[in-house]
Amino acid sequence: MALQAAGKPFGTVFTPAMLTASYAPQDGWGGAVLQPRGALRLDPATMALHYGQTAFEGLMAYRQPDGRLAFFRARDYASRLIHSCSRMAIPPILETHSIELWRQFARHELPHLPESSDFALYLRPLVFGCDAAFGDRPSTCYQLLVQGVVVDLAERARQRPLEVLITDQFVRAAPSGVGAAKVPGNYGAAMLARQAARDAGCDQVLWLDAGRRRWVEELGSMNVAFVISEVLVTPPLTDTILAGVTRQTVLTLAAEAGLEFEERPIALEEITAAMSWKGLTEAIGCGTAAGLVSIGAFHIGERRLSLPAATPVADRLRGLLRDHQGGRIEDSRGWLTAV
Ligand SMILES: *Cc1c(COP(=O)(O)O)cnc(C)c1O
């Protein structure tokens, strides 16, 4: 039976199963099991809980015109999981193995996804160190957990523009740290900033570089781009920015649509200056879970700088992105993987 997901917030409509697999030094990764989703039995000293040696992914499978399901850019998410694991000294799962396990899970959960292309399946693979001991060293055993939620894409498309707090009080990532890895610790470390944003009546924070607090890096847990003088501009990838698959896709689609784009450092003062002379017409956050979201206003100190309500570039890119995800445009790049 398909789950009732219409109008439900992202991340709340879980499909009924989960997939687990494990790693032991002598066996490598293996032992995948599909089982009913439920509470885990973990030793209270499980190292991941104490020391955060953990990495995760978030990818989506979309309905295709023939009703079948396909992952969008699965290989890119699988290779990023390898990168994140490597950064955390976690033995990585081969790209092909990850995709096979995701496919096994998604096939199993398919009956619970509504048939309309307005719904998608979001997969959340999570890897964590599961030795039970106090000790500051990499774990020897690891677990993989894959679970999924049904996402109402139509509901998501109705989200209102974001109010964004700009502050130099917090830092997300420092050079040579873990900013370019998808790890829970980055999120945990950002919760206080998230709370400050909420207290200021905002939805998200705009992250600035750790050194001078001058260069724009990310938007909450999304990548960020601006439209300045009709050029789509986004910061170049460094080791303090998470290499978003959506970011990469959006740049490719911008080029395809004949939109000029630049990957270059963007200083905060460039943003505020371009807003004052109205050269900055759009600001966009992008990520797998949120899609493409427009920014409605920036809050800096007591000032609220608002952006135009019309978002033609974001609308265009969002439409193109959905067309590619939903297989409504020929998949010339091999972005879709049949579930
Ligand atoms: C996941 C994530 C993104 C977006 O990446 P996608 O591959 O587009 O989902 C951006 N920034 C951070 C910090 C993230 O964790």
Side-chain angles (χ1 to χ4, degrees):
M1 265 273 287
L3 290 160
Q4 292 297 323
K8 300 277 172 61
F10 175 85
T12 58
V13 184
F14 295 99
T15 63
M18 61 182 184
L19 182 146
T20 60
S22 53
Y23 173 94
Q26 63 281 13
D27 310 318
W29 280 103
V33 182
L34 269 163
Q35 58 193 290
R37 187 175 184 286
L40 303 175
R41 279 187 66 88
L42 290 177
D43 189 283
T46 297
M47 287 181 77
L49 297 175
H50 296 259
Y51 308 112
Q53 197 194 4
T54 307
F56 70 100
E57 264 311 324
L59 72 155
M60 300 257 251
Y62 299 88
R63 287 278 184 203
Q64 303 300 300
D66 62 5
R68 288 165 55 174
L69 199 64
F71 289 120
F72 187 66
R73 306 199 67 169
R75 282 190 302 275
D76 298 284
Y77 293 95
S79 82
R80 188 171 63 195
L81 183 57
I82 292 177
H83 169 80
S84 300
C85 284
S86 304
R87 179 62 184 80
M88 300 303 285
I90 297 172
I93 307 173
L94 288 179
E95 217 173 276
T96 48
H97 192 192
S98 271
I99 294 172
E100 197 39 54
L101 294 175
W102 298 347
R103 189 186 264 144
Q104 201 181 327
F105 173 80
R107 273 195 195 138
H108 185 265
E109 299 302 73
L110 192 55
H112 305 288
L113 184 70
E115 267 168 37
S116 156
S117 61
D118 278 347
F119 297 90
L121 180 65
Y122 176 90
L123 259 66
R124 169 57 62 81
L126 171 75
V127 186
F128 62 95
C130 57
D131 284 9
F134 298 147
D136 181 14
R137 56 160 176 86
S139 189
T140 54
C141 294
Y142 295 86
Q143 262 209 29
L144 164 73
L145 263 179
V146 182
Q147 52 189 316
V149 288
V150 176
V151 181
D152 180 347
L153 299 171
E155 171 72 15
R156 192 181 74 171
R158 284 189 284 271
Q159 65 192 319
R160 59 174 182 79
L162 301 174
E163 298 287 315
V164 172
L165 178 67
I166 302 182
T167 168
D168 59 8
Q169 209 187 334
F170 306 103
V171 160
R172 191 191 83 91
S176 304
V178 291
K182 210 165 179 70
V183 297
N186 286 336
Y187 284 67
M191 291 302 172
L192 189 59
R194 192 81 194 221
Q195 190 170 294
R198 192 168 300 169
D199 293 346
C202 293
D203 306 294
Q204 292 285 2
V205 281
L206 186 75
W207 297 111
L208 304 174
D209 73 291
R212 298 174 62 189
R213 318 278 161 100
R214 175 177 184 217
W215 304 102
V216 173
E217 296 197 328
E218 294 207 59
L219 176 71
S221 47
M222 291 180 280
N223 293 114
V224 67
F226 304 87
V227 181
I228 304 174
S229 303
E230 287 170 33
V231 180
L232 185 71
V233 191
T234 192
L237 293 179
T238 61
D239 65 358
T240 54
I241 293 182
L242 198 286
V245 176
T246 316
R247 172 191 179 279
Q248 186 55 54
T249 306
V250 161
L251 293 181
T252 305
L253 297 181
E256 190 174 280
L259 250 166
E260 212 181 312
F261 76 86
E262 287 172 3
E263 292 177 82
R264 62 166 175 81
I266 306 162
L268 180 57
E269 65 262 24
E270 178 183 358
I271 301 296
T272 49
M275 286 185 81
S276 65
W277 58 268
K278 310 245 180 286
L280 194 152
T281 47
E282 293 182 54
I284 305 166
C286 66
T288 302
L292 257 70
V293 208
S294 290
I295 295 173
F298 291 110
H299 296 238
I300 309 175
E302 296 300 301
R303 287 187 298 161
R304 177 179 181 275
L305 309 172
S306 64
L307 280 136
T311 57
V313 173
D315 296 346
R316 175 118 182 264
L317 291 170
R318 194 183 294 115
L320 282 171
L321 180 63
R322 280 293 297 123
D323 285 345
H324 278 83
Q325 292 164 338
R328 298 191 284 264
I329 287 181
E330 203 208 309
D331 182 25
S332 58
R333 295 183 186 83
W335 280 349
L336 297 168
T337 305
V339 164

